[in-house]
Amino acid sequence: MAVPIAVLDCDLLLYGRGHRTLDRFKLEDVTDEYLVSTYGFPRQFIYYLVDLLGASLSRPTQRSRAISPETQILAALGFYTSGSFQTRMGDAIGISQASMSRCVANVTEALVERASQFIHFPEDEATVQSLKDDFYGLAGMPGVLGVVDCTHVAIKAPNAENICYVNRKGLHSLNCLMVCDARGVLLSAETHWPGSLPDWSVLQQAALTSQFETELHKDGWLLGDSSFFLRRWLMTPLHIPETPAEYRYNMAHSATHNIIERTFRTIRSRFRCLDGSKGTLQYSPEKSSHIILACCVLHNISLEHGLDVWSSPATGHMEQPEEEYEQMESMDSEACRIRQELLLTHFS
């Protein structure tokens, strides 16, 4: 006679029914300093996330010891900011490593579902003008709607046959295309592109290009470095500046575009799961892409709450591979005309 096998709750197996409940960790029982050092964020920010994500994280379950939204968020923040499923972190909130992993998956998907709420270009005229004014105040570059660049995040090899994620340094990665404003707030984030694709190819296929080609902002543009081609809506530096105006243009372009590099460093510094110091993201490309996007959402929410705009540079091992490209001027004569007019009007 077959004996039925019971499905055991791994937390129940580890701790037993006499152990304190999964919700024994209470935010009000610890200091902000402890929360920031362990989970990366202060109490009020965590309360905000509980309100924001609570409904998504309280889905019906047959488990008698369902993990509360608050505990799930703490577990996910612990992983995002430390880059590892530490036993002591799970012990602190009373859940196992397997449950930690489930919490990260749940919170990640809840954040990804809300990505468009927190990562988007402004639409009203007053906010767009404020965006341009902020950029102009940095180095005198007019009409800038955002700065764009790509950064690589290391992931585990999907399988031996799939080499499309192998970047120029021979490492598996996702090439992430992002745009930010003058404060480092992300306006666009596409985190799913294979690491083998060069930056210009990512942009060519990106939703960002479709957005700017079909809804062209005739009175503004993005700034991109020399790994991209000049477009009517994307101003790049001059390859070989010759005149004083061209040198001034390139200097203003570089000083303004540097904001996106600082933003990448800030994100890596805050979310150590992305910086490579704890190894690669041990997930499929799709799940890794979602984790990166979830961190981008948290980055924007943290800036919205006034939390530490510029952090110290990360010390991770995963830096963006240097692109090898042939510098070519755009064949788009209208794009060349727009850049030349910009030179004559503002930098001569």
Side-chain angles (χ1 to χ4, degrees):
M1 176 179 175
V3 178
I5 299 175
V7 177
L8 297 178
D9 184 311
C10 58
D11 297 302
L12 180 62
L13 185 64
L14 284 173
Y15 299 118
R17 293 195 181 277
H19 196 274
R20 288 175 289 179
T21 68
L22 295 182
D23 297 327
R24 76 183 193 278
F25 183 95
K26 298 298 182 183
L27 289 177
E28 58 268 23
D29 293 339
V30 296
T31 65
D32 262 5
E33 289 74 14
Y34 173 81
L35 291 172
V36 171
S37 65
T38 307
Y39 304 102
F41 293 95
R43 189 187 329 275
Q44 291 306 316
F45 184 86
I46 296 171
Y47 280 144
Y48 173 82
L49 293 181
V50 172
D51 290 339
L52 177 69
L53 308 178
S56 298
L57 301 176
S58 300
R59 297 185 178 99
T61 176
Q62 294 180 345
R63 300 176 63 203
S64 61
R65 290 162 58 84
I67 303 174
S68 70
E70 180 179 294
T71 301
Q72 292 184 61
I73 288 168
L74 288 173
L77 291 179
F79 169 72
Y80 297 148
T81 58
S82 73
S84 65
F85 294 115
Q86 299 176 22
T87 302
R88 65 175 180 82
M89 190 173 294
D91 288 345
I93 52 179
I95 62 175
S96 66
Q97 182 171 321
S99 292
M100 284 277 292
S101 182
R102 288 198 300 272
C103 291
V104 170
N106 291 342
V107 174
T108 295
E109 291 312 305
L111 287 167
V112 167
E113 288 172 2
R114 291 160 177 79
S116 61
Q117 177 182 345
F118 294 99
I119 303 175
H120 57 81
F121 283 91
E123 296 180 355
D124 64 281
E125 187 174 335
T127 308
V128 170
Q129 186 57 52
S130 177
L131 185 68
K132 295 179 184 178
D133 292 343
D134 288 344
F135 275 118
Y136 186 78
L138 293 176
M141 181 69 76
V144 180
L145 299 169
V147 289
V148 59
D149 207 348
C150 288
T151 188
H152 287 252
V153 176
I155 62 171
K156 73 173 182 178
N159 56 60
E161 292 75 28
N162 192 345
I163 63 171
C164 72
Y165 292 94
V166 179
N167 61 42
R168 301 192 72 92
K169 290 189 174 181
L171 304 172
H172 290 82
S173 68
L174 290 168
N175 196 3
C176 306
L177 179 73
M178 301 187 193
V179 180
C180 75
D181 69 10
R183 296 195 308 119
V185 175
L186 295 174
L187 306 175
S188 177
E190 299 184 35
T191 60
H192 62 284
W193 297 103
S196 64
L197 292 179
D199 292 0
W200 64 265
S201 181
V202 169
L203 182 62
Q204 188 175 45
Q205 303 174 60
L208 178 69
T209 291
S210 177
Q211 178 182 357
F212 271 80
E213 292 287 357
T214 58
E215 306 171 15
L216 191 61
H217 299 272
K218 298 183 184 302
D219 57 345
W221 38 74
L222 302 179
L223 294 188
D225 65 18
S226 296
S227 60
F228 300 115
F229 289 104
L230 179 70
R231 298 171 184 257
R232 286 168 290 171
W233 49 268
L234 178 65
M235 294 292 103
T236 59
L238 291 138
H239 180 39
I240 305 176
E242 296 178 345
T243 68
E246 290 175 346
Y247 276 104
R248 284 192 288 269
Y249 166 85
N250 271 12
M251 290 178 65
H253 187 291
S254 177
T256 307
H257 187 266
N258 185 54
I259 295 296
I260 190 70
E261 298 300 332
R262 294 173 66 187
T263 300
F264 289 156
R265 290 197 298 269
T266 297
I267 292 172
R268 280 201 175 92
S269 178
R270 171 165 278 155
F271 303 108
R272 303 306 293 269
C273 68
L274 307 182
D275 77 353
S277 64
K278 300 292 184 180
T280 62
L281 284 175
Q282 296 298 302
Y283 297 92
S284 67
E286 181 181 9
K287 289 184 178 180
S288 295
S289 170
H290 284 187
I291 287 173
I292 300 166
L293 185 55
C295 290
C296 290
V297 173
L298 286 173
H299 168 77
N300 274 12
I301 296 176
S302 68
L303 296 189
E304 193 175 278
H305 283 72
L307 298 178
D308 190 17
V309 178
W310 303 119
S311 299
S312 58
T315 57
H317 304 117
M318 187 59 190
E319 296 298 333
Q320 180 177 350
E322 293 182 6
E323 295 288 348
E324 294 180 14
Y325 55 87
E326 181 180 356
Q327 177 71 45
M328 297 176 63
E329 286 298 330
S330 173
M331 298 302 291
D332 186 337
S333 58
E334 178 64 12
C336 293
R337 185 197 66 77
I338 291 172
R339 187 171 65 179
Q340 188 61 31
E341 182 177 313
L342 179 60
L343 280 162
L344 293 174
T345 304
H346 294 278
F347 295 98
S348 294

